[in-house]
Amino acid sequence: MSLFSTTYDVIVVGGGHAGSEAAAAAANMGAHTLLITMNLQNIAQMSCNPAMGGIAKGQIVREIDALGGYSAIVTDKTAIQFKMLNKSKGPAMWSPRAQSDRMQFAECWRTMLEQTKNLDFYQDSVNGLLFEQDKIIGVKTALGLEIKSKTVVITAGTFLNGLIHIGDKSFGGGRAGEGASKGITEDLVAKGFEAGRMKTGTPPRVDGRSLDYSKMIEQPGDENTEKFSYLPVTKNLTKQRSCWLTYTNPKVHNLLREGFERSPMFNGRIKSTGPRYCPSVEDKVNRFATKERHQIFVEPEGWTTCEMYVNGFSTSLPEDIQDKAIRAIEGFENVKFFRYGYAIEYDYFPPTQLTHSLETKLVKNLFFAGQINGTTGYEEAAAQGLMAGVNAALKVQGKDSFILKRNEAYIGVLIDDLITKGTEEPYRMFTSRAEYRTLLRQDNADLRLTPKAFELGLASKERNDRVLEKQRKTNLLIQFLEKTSVKQEEINPILEAKNLALVNQSMKLFKIAARPQLNFSDFKNVKKLNIFILDNNIDSAIIEQAEIHLKYSGYIAKEKNNADKLNRLENVMIPSQFNYQKVKSLSFEAREKLSKIQPTSISQASRISGVSPSDISVLLVYMGR
Ligand code: FAD
């Protein structure tokens, strides 16, 4: 059937990380979905660093996987290096990170989407939106098509009125080599939306054959690799490519300073705010003037390509300055450029204009996800895309929205932060943003979320059964450890090997195993435990869960308790369109902020900056509590 005559359930605008996950989720939930994107060759293109995961972001990728998204599978299938970051800290901080082959990543995403039922594709640029009063009913494209849909998810990334800067040159574009997107912002602003401007930047890519690695420090991947997806369809990496570490130096900094006058960052041409935690190299040199060197990680862009990503050297300085300065870095003396670094400014929509389902408050059935909401990063975008795709499909099916709480997932923290607090600079996830990080670990995303995915129809029964079995066996192992005693003759050699004080009587296994200096592998000679593990077919993932439980049960219980208390406030609902102006005992600031954000619960109201505990008490009294 022609695209003209079909009314889709869901149209997803943009095939980046948010759009790809949104399209997959909506289609997998049975919604007839159309993915419209400017260039089908660039599906899920990694605009910047060819890596997924990292601190807090790795947890998000695992959550996406547990919810039936594709990002983790694609990352595993295309990974060239794997590292578990923060392994020296507690398990709440462990964060997987993988570098991917950039070209294979996009190809693998496209293949997976093509294998998804209910999903159609169309290459064109959406340049307008079709409304019927306060409802969206479809999109208009540059080729003049009008395509109807019950819901629309916009995931336009850095493309909305994108403006690229290199030195004193500026030109329109959504990403190097691709055009900007015009028309969507204008239609939304005409409808009453508030739009803002943000910026981001990327470093040069260079020819790896022109670098001298003997002057750099090799950065290999982990010896024992892991993977992102909980599904058996992907495998741990056995072969990896190394990265390389080098440093800038005072000469590099002086050469960079020579270009400051022509820098769009410093001469006022770029006015918008960039990502605080991903500053450009000129910003680092300017802000930390006394620092003699900054790290530069040289990262391969794939298995076979010689193109290298110069991580840490993001810049929008003129090409001649980039050229001169980079050559002063050890190992870069004879460098050849593939692509220069650049900065880009783009439109975003302050996310306080959205509800928890990522639907806009102003226009029904219209959803936003990804960089358009003021976030930065593939993982943040993909997570929002999945949630918007799910919620668009649920809306079509006339069902309640799917919302994750802050104690259930980093994805819940991300969306709640965005829609409650908004963001004035590109928002990226950190573990510090989550108040329940002992609960939100990368190892238990399946236990937390796969049963929910099963209820939505995004995880198969077989997958859900596997997760339930993992939970059952974890509990079984914990019970075994709690009730089984081991004689001192068996324990003391283990303690002796670790220089720990010996015991003079038998002890329950859980008491010894909970000691921070010991881990499960130290108990490999304890007979009863070995027999139990073999008899019950206990694998390493279950042992990991039990071990974390033993060592951190105190923290876990405390966080659960706090979350329960706050969730009680989550259940004290505020009627929609509540008139805060009539509650005179609220502070002026609280009345203003609450009227703008329109929180759905007292708990959400308490997270809005400017709403004090005494304002919350007033509201509780008002709501009859
Ligand atoms: P994108 O990945 O940008 O995808 C948007 C998609 O929508 C594209 O496929 C585009 O073709 C399509 N599209 C746009 N408009 C239309 C339209 N009107 N019609 C049809 N299709 C349309 N992230 C970091 O975490 N750290 C960084 O340092 C960093 N640096 C970056 C530097 C640059 C230069 C760029 C461009 C991005 C950078 N990012 C960085 C951001 C990262 O790329 C994004 O956060 C992520 O890709 C956002 O995903 P998205 O799906 O929202 O949008």
Side-chain angles (χ1 to χ4, degrees), residues 166 202-205 315 318-320 322-323 337-342:
I166 306 182
T202 197
R205 315 310 197 254
T315 180
E319 303 94 287
D320 56 312
Q322 294 191 29
D323 219 298
F337 275 72
F338 268 26
R339 313 166 203 234
Y340 286 105
Y342 65 94

Side-chain angles (χ1 to χ4, degrees), residues 427-480:
Y427 176 106
R428 70 158 284 187
M429 184 47 78
F430 290 105
T431 45
S432 56
R433 296 199 194 267
E435 49 278 66
Y436 309 114
R437 49 183 180 269
T438 316
L439 303 181
L440 309 183
R441 307 185 309 270
Q442 57 84 32
D443 57 271
N444 68 356
D446 55 344
L447 301 175
R448 289 185 275 124
L449 301 174
T450 297
K452 293 180 193 293
F454 173 61
E455 274 174 39
L456 287 169
L458 287 175
S460 66
K461 180 168 184 321
E462 187 201 346
R463 180 174 191 179
N464 193 44
D465 286 349
R466 256 204 319 270
V467 170
L468 298 179
E469 184 63 359
K470 178 175 168 186
Q471 185 66 71
R472 189 188 70 80
K473 285 191 177 174
T474 303
N475 296 344
L476 203 67
L477 177 57
I478 293 169
Q479 282 162 16
F480 172 81

Side-chain angles (χ1 to χ4, degrees), residues 88-158:
S88 60
K89 300 187 178 158
M93 304 304 280
W94 300 352
S95 303
R97 178 185 190 267
Q99 284 198 223
S100 275
D101 181 307
R102 183 192 300 280
M103 285 180 273
Q104 283 183 12
F105 188 91
E107 192 187 343
C108 184
W109 249 112
R110 166 118 179 216
T111 308
M112 286 197 65
L113 287 175
E114 284 185 16
Q115 288 165 354
T116 302
K117 264 203 262 170
N118 305 318
L119 181 56
D120 290 348
F121 299 86
Y122 176 54
Q123 177 172 304
D124 201 343
S125 183
V126 168
N127 63 359
L129 303 171
L130 300 169
F131 302 107
E132 208 174 71
Q133 282 102 38
D134 63 346
K135 202 167 80 183
I136 189 136
I137 54 160
V139 300
K140 289 184 278 188
T141 76
L143 281 180
L145 306 201
E146 290 201 346
I147 311 174
K148 299 281 174 62
S149 183
K150 293 177 191 158
T151 60
V152 172
V153 183
I154 304 184
T155 67
T158 51

Side-chain angles (χ1 to χ4, degrees), residues 14 16-18 37-38 47-48 126 155-157 159 181 200-201 278 371 376-377 381:
H17 304 267
T37 193
M38 281 184 185
S47 315
C48 196
V126 168
T155 67
F159 284 68
S181 162
T200 187
C278 236
Q371 197 105 357
T376 176

Side-chain angles (χ1 to χ4, degrees), residues 408-425:
E408 291 176 325
Y410 271 94
I411 299 177
V413 175
L414 167 73
I415 293 177
D416 185 63
D417 274 356
L418 290 174
I419 71 149
T420 306
K421 298 179 182 149
T423 184
E424 266 141 37
E425 55 185 84

